[in-house]
Amino acid sequence: MPLHTSWLSPTGQTRENTRVSQIGATTPINPQQARSGILPGSYGGQHRVSGFWTDGASAMTLNVSNGRAVIQGLHAQGFYQVTLDGGAVLTVADGDAQYGRVDLLVLRVYDASYDTSGKNEAAVEIIRGTPAATPVAPATPPLSLPLYEIAVPAGASAGKGGIVWNGALKDLRTTTVAIGGIVPAFGDTGAGAYPGQYQDGAAAVLQRWDGSAWVPYPSALGGIAPKGALTTASYVGQYRDTPQRVLQRWNGTAWLPAFPGPLFAENLDAGFTTSTTYSQTLQDTSVAQVQITFPAPVSGAVLLTYGARMGPVGNAAAAAFTSVRVTQGATEIWAPDDERGVCTAGDPATSASTTTRLAGLTADLPYTVTLMHRVSVAGVKTWFDNIFLRVEPLI
């Protein structure tokens, strides 16, 4: 098998061994050990990883393509650089008569100085699994890099059609690059080794290890991340575009509209009340309430504009009122009252509106404004229609 390794053979290392197996790939996992993995790259640059790519060659044989890899040993062993420069063909053992099994294709290093193999070589080999009703892959041997799982059905053999390779192979390959390089996210990338390490993640999003997680890193730091590129931001004040074409800003815990307003809500389906106390609910309407929730701007102040066409039925002495209730979570900031309300009296109904300033808000916290309605004389049916609410942030 055309495998070359560095500083493994006890009978001497050829100059060819040294040249071919020099890889320079040592992505760290801690101060002393490197990450085992395959070096990325492909002919024509179309794929992230083509090294040790495997497919079926015949009924019970498979091809393993050429490639280069690093396999980390114990702290004292260091890492082994391995190159397969001509590909390999391996034969899978026939299937069990009753049960299927899962075999494991591995790239393995034998070092007689550290194991009992009596060998000093590298090998691409198949570790046979145990047949079972629900088979699982065998454990990865020491000093090995798993490449593929191979599903071997019961009774499989060359004389019975062999393995249907389409769907029989599960890719387990992982990658490694030189220290400071960007790791292609292929297979299980695991945790980072240090804050500031980068990997090319799923959906072509560059990610940075922040000490506890891989965090999406925008293609243009300080710019606006394109829609779909970010879920969690990298820093407070970062901006992103959204599919709804709404520019958003990260406040440290959530994405909020970069320009929160003006916001508008309305009810054009008339409803009535007979209550003398303020209520957000009207009868005989399909709209439950007119309400807006908004993030407070940095200024902590907004303008509220609201109104309706309203009037008591058949009672010229009764008055109709529309006011606002403002809450922040479970805390009431403003209770509805007549002083901030709009008012009309008598029948027929007339329209009225007002604008008032709401200040003293905490920037970025969500506030809710709800329109409330009442009548001055109990039991008098009072209608409200064309109800509207507008919230406009002040800069």
Side-chain angles (χ1 to χ4, degrees):
M1 189 175 291
L3 280 168
H4 303 272
T5 61
S6 292
W7 312 115
L8 177 60
S9 174
T11 59
Q13 177 167 306
T14 68
R15 286 175 292 181
E16 182 185 54
N17 287 148
T18 304
R19 288 195 305 269
V20 171
S21 62
Q22 291 308 299
I23 293 174
T26 56
T27 301
I29 57 174
N30 58 45
Q32 190 171 344
Q33 292 179 295
R35 170 179 164 171
S36 297
I38 297 168
L39 269 69
S42 63
Y43 296 103
Q46 298 180 7
H47 307 286
R48 292 190 175 198
V49 182
S50 65
F52 297 93
W53 182 77
T54 299
D55 65 344
S58 66
M60 297 300 291
T61 63
L62 49 79
N63 289 318
V64 182
S65 65
N66 58 323
R68 297 181 295 167
V70 166
I71 298 178
Q72 174 66 52
L74 302 173
H75 283 71
Q77 285 178 267
F79 60 86
Y80 297 80
Q81 303 174 99
V82 181
T83 299
L84 177 64
D85 66 0
V89 178
L90 285 82
T91 299
V92 181
D94 289 349
D96 179 73
Q98 182 178 8
Y99 294 117
R101 72 171 193 271
V102 177
D103 292 350
L104 186 65
L105 178 67
V106 300
L107 176 62
R108 187 172 185 178
V109 169
Y110 294 92
D111 187 345
S113 299
Y114 293 91
D115 57 40
T116 59
S117 66
K119 298 186 290 187
N120 294 280
E121 63 185 31
V124 178
E125 60 187 34
I126 297 173
I127 309 300
R128 191 181 303 184
T130 301
T134 305
V136 296
T140 303
L143 213 56
S144 296
L145 183 65
L147 301 176
Y148 285 85
E149 288 182 1
I150 308 167
V152 183
S157 67
K160 295 182 179 179
I163 299 172
V164 179
W165 290 108
N166 184 20
L169 295 171
K170 180 181 179 181
D171 196 344
L172 303 178
R173 294 174 297 165
T174 56
T175 57
T176 190
V177 295
I179 187 170
I182 297 175
V183 179
F186 191 92
D188 181 14
T189 60
Y194 55 90
Q197 187 176 1
Y198 290 88
Q199 72 172 16
D200 185 20
V205 175
L206 187 64
Q207 295 176 319
R208 178 184 182 274
W209 182 255
D210 69 356
S212 59
W214 290 107
V215 177
Y217 189 83
S219 56
L221 179 63
I224 298 173
K227 62 183 179 182
L230 287 180
T231 300
T232 302
S234 301
Y235 55 89
V236 174
Q238 190 170 6
Y239 289 87
R240 73 173 183 181
D241 190 16
T242 67
Q244 295 76 30
R245 301 181 182 177
V246 176
L247 185 64
Q248 294 180 325
R249 178 184 181 274
W250 181 256
N251 73 346
T253 57
W255 290 103
L256 299 176
F259 303 98
L263 304 173
F264 185 84
E266 64 181 355
N267 176 14
L268 302 180
D269 183 21
F272 72 87
T273 185
T274 59
S275 173
T276 57
T277 59
Y278 277 105
S279 173
Q280 66 190 40
T281 304
L282 296 173
Q283 301 180 57
D284 196 25
T285 178
S286 60
V287 180
Q289 59 195 10
V290 176
Q291 184 179 82
I292 292 176
T293 298
F294 65 95
V298 176
S299 66
V302 297
L303 290 180
L304 304 180
T305 302
Y306 47 94
R309 183 167 63 87
M310 50 194 176
V313 177
N315 191 324
F321 294 87
T322 292
S323 188
V324 288
R325 180 174 186 256
V326 181
T327 56
Q328 199 290 300
T331 303
E332 187 173 70
I333 307 301
W334 273 3
D337 60 36
D338 296 346
E339 186 173 339
R340 275 189 289 265
V342 290
C343 174
T344 65
D347 191 7
T350 55
S351 296
S353 65
T354 188
T355 298
T356 187
R357 180 173 179 266
L358 171 62
L361 308 179
T362 302
D364 293 338
L365 286 184
Y367 290 83
T368 299
V369 181
T370 306
L371 289 187
M372 312 287 283
H373 314 282
R374 80 176 190 92
V375 63
S376 62
V377 179
V380 175
K381 180 181 286 189
T382 303
W383 287 89
F384 296 81
D385 197 4
N386 297 336
I387 308 165
F388 74 94
L389 169 64
R390 186 174 191 265
V391 179
E392 181 178 2
L394 293 175
I395 305 302

